[in-house]
Amino acid sequence: MSEVTKKVTKKDRRRMYVALLFWILVAIIAIMVASTLFGKYGLTIGLALGILNFGLSVKYFLISVPEVTGLLTINLFGGKLFPYGPGLHFKYPWEIVKEKNYFSLEAVTVKREEFATFVSRDGVPLLVDWTFQYRPDEEKLDTFIGFNRGEIEKGFADLLSVNISAAIAEQDAIPARANIQVIRDELQKPFEDTAAVGSPGIKLEEKYGVQVVNTAIADIAFTEDFQKARTTERVAERLNMVAESLQKKSDGTKKDIKDKDALNTALIINKNVTKHIQEVEGEGGQALAALIMAAARGGK
């Protein structure tokens, strides 16, 4: 049990003792007065009055909070706010209950409207689809009430963006895409019970009076330009392999076929030429460079 929970429990007990003391004192006074006025029937009448007092006053000492709901009462003497979680609780009769001070404790999901861009260790921009869920902390509703939803969500979004950026910056683009679960786990650590003392995640939860229920990365995607570059690279590699095989005889010796002719033939075989034969000029490295450009243009 946390220190906060112990503190709240102690306060709840104080309220219970006040209520019990009030009911017992009223019952004793009722019995004494009834005994003086009604003699041998005084005890019975006094107990009846005590029970009646309990029935009439119980609403001033007990409060029932619905499930998945929190409540803040207002102390008439000083205006201090006191939080209550779901269930039946004792309260002071001078604590006011207002309808607007009931709060849903259901988790709120925050999802970015568009993918956020982060740069990997090898300088490749990655598109990250991420969300997080938070809920008001029933024990810190007096803190939670001081912030609007936009402030809370921006605060956590900024922190999570920093964490995601740091995690992706430690990996190259392709491994980062493959290790989504590792990044997810790292993202959740600052908000877990086992988080280090002074963790930015815990500090932010305390600041806003909320609990982060979950953080999630749905997907890490490559940009369109990077996808095209990877596709072009693969096509170029395939065409180069085809071209090399066309230039080799069965015994491994090289045929009398120029590099550009072999590459042009590879383009035709790979169906990269649809309107006319793409002429790849040059030999060796120049031919390969021209090949890559041809593959990028789709041979058109």
Side-chain angles (χ1 to χ4, degrees):
M1 184 181 293
S2 66
E3 291 299 320
V4 174
T5 305
K6 290 179 182 177
K7 188 176 179 181
V8 171
T9 301
K10 188 175 180 180
K11 288 182 178 180
D12 284 339
R13 286 175 179 170
R14 283 201 214 114
R15 285 161 171 74
M16 180 182 69
Y17 295 151
V18 168
L20 293 176
L21 182 61
F22 173 80
W23 290 325
I24 291 171
L25 285 176
V26 170
I28 291 174
I29 292 172
I31 290 173
M32 291 175 63
V33 172
S35 296
T36 301
L37 296 176
F38 303 104
K40 64 180 182 179
Y41 299 108
L43 178 61
T44 302
I45 295 173
L47 286 173
L49 291 173
I51 294 171
L52 178 63
N53 168 69
F54 173 81
L56 294 174
S57 64
V58 70
K59 63 181 180 181
Y60 298 105
F61 290 95
L62 288 175
I63 181 70
S64 178
V65 183
E67 60 183 3
V68 200
T69 304
L71 169 66
L72 273 178
T73 59
I74 306 172
N75 194 317
L76 282 175
F77 303 108
K80 189 174 181 179
L81 302 173
F82 187 79
Y84 292 90
L88 187 65
H89 303 273
F90 283 94
K91 73 177 190 68
Y92 293 136
W94 51 85
E95 286 180 316
I96 298 176
V97 177
K98 291 185 176 181
E99 190 68 29
K100 68 176 183 179
N101 284 351
Y102 282 93
F103 300 91
S104 171
L105 299 180
E106 291 183 347
V108 177
T109 300
V110 180
K111 179 176 174 60
R112 292 184 65 91
E113 294 181 359
E114 57 185 21
F115 281 23
T117 304
F118 300 94
V119 180
S120 63
R121 183 171 57 187
D122 52 357
V124 177
L126 296 174
L127 304 176
V128 181
D129 180 13
W130 60 275
T131 63
F132 69 94
Q133 291 180 313
Y134 73 95
R135 58 180 288 275
D137 187 335
E138 64 189 60
E139 297 174 357
K140 299 186 180 73
L141 289 176
D142 51 337
T143 300
F144 172 75
I145 197 174
F147 299 92
N148 62 50
R149 179 171 169 174
E151 288 179 283
I152 295 172
E153 293 176 3
K154 184 180 184 304
F156 282 110
D158 289 345
L159 174 62
L160 289 169
S161 291
V162 170
N163 292 347
I164 294 172
S165 179
I168 288 180
E170 293 179 353
Q171 303 184 58
D172 290 340
I174 295 176
R177 172 68 183 81
N179 296 330
I180 293 180
Q181 188 57 52
V182 174
I183 299 176
R184 284 174 183 158
D185 294 342
E186 288 297 318
L187 204 62
Q188 185 63 27
K189 280 183 181 179
F191 304 101
E192 295 176 347
D193 294 337
T194 55
V197 176
S199 166
I202 300 297
K203 283 184 177 179
L204 211 57
E205 287 180 326
E206 292 176 349
K207 175 183 176 180
Y208 293 126
V210 302
Q211 295 175 339
V212 172
V213 180
N214 185 45
T215 60
I217 294 180
D219 188 25
I220 296 179
F222 300 121
T223 62
E224 185 177 352
D225 289 343
F226 184 72
Q227 286 280 30
K228 285 182 178 179
R230 289 190 73 200
T231 301
T232 299
E233 184 180 356
R234 289 196 188 100
V235 170
E237 289 176 355
R238 173 181 169 77
L239 294 177
N240 197 42
M241 289 175 62
V242 172
E244 287 181 356
S245 67
L246 290 172
Q247 290 179 298
K248 288 183 180 179
K249 297 179 181 179
S250 58
D251 58 2
T253 59
K254 190 173 181 179
K255 294 180 181 178
D256 187 20
I257 301 177
K258 293 182 179 180
D259 290 345
K260 66 174 185 176
D261 294 331
L263 291 173
N264 280 326
T265 304
L267 283 169
I268 296 172
I269 294 172
N270 201 60
K271 299 181 181 179
N272 286 77
V273 180
T274 56
K275 292 184 179 178
H276 58 276
I277 295 176
Q278 175 64 44
E279 182 70 15
V280 177
E281 298 296 340
E283 301 292 338
Q286 291 181 349
L288 181 57
L291 164 66
I292 294 174
M293 294 299 295
R297 294 193 299 268
K300 298 179 182 181

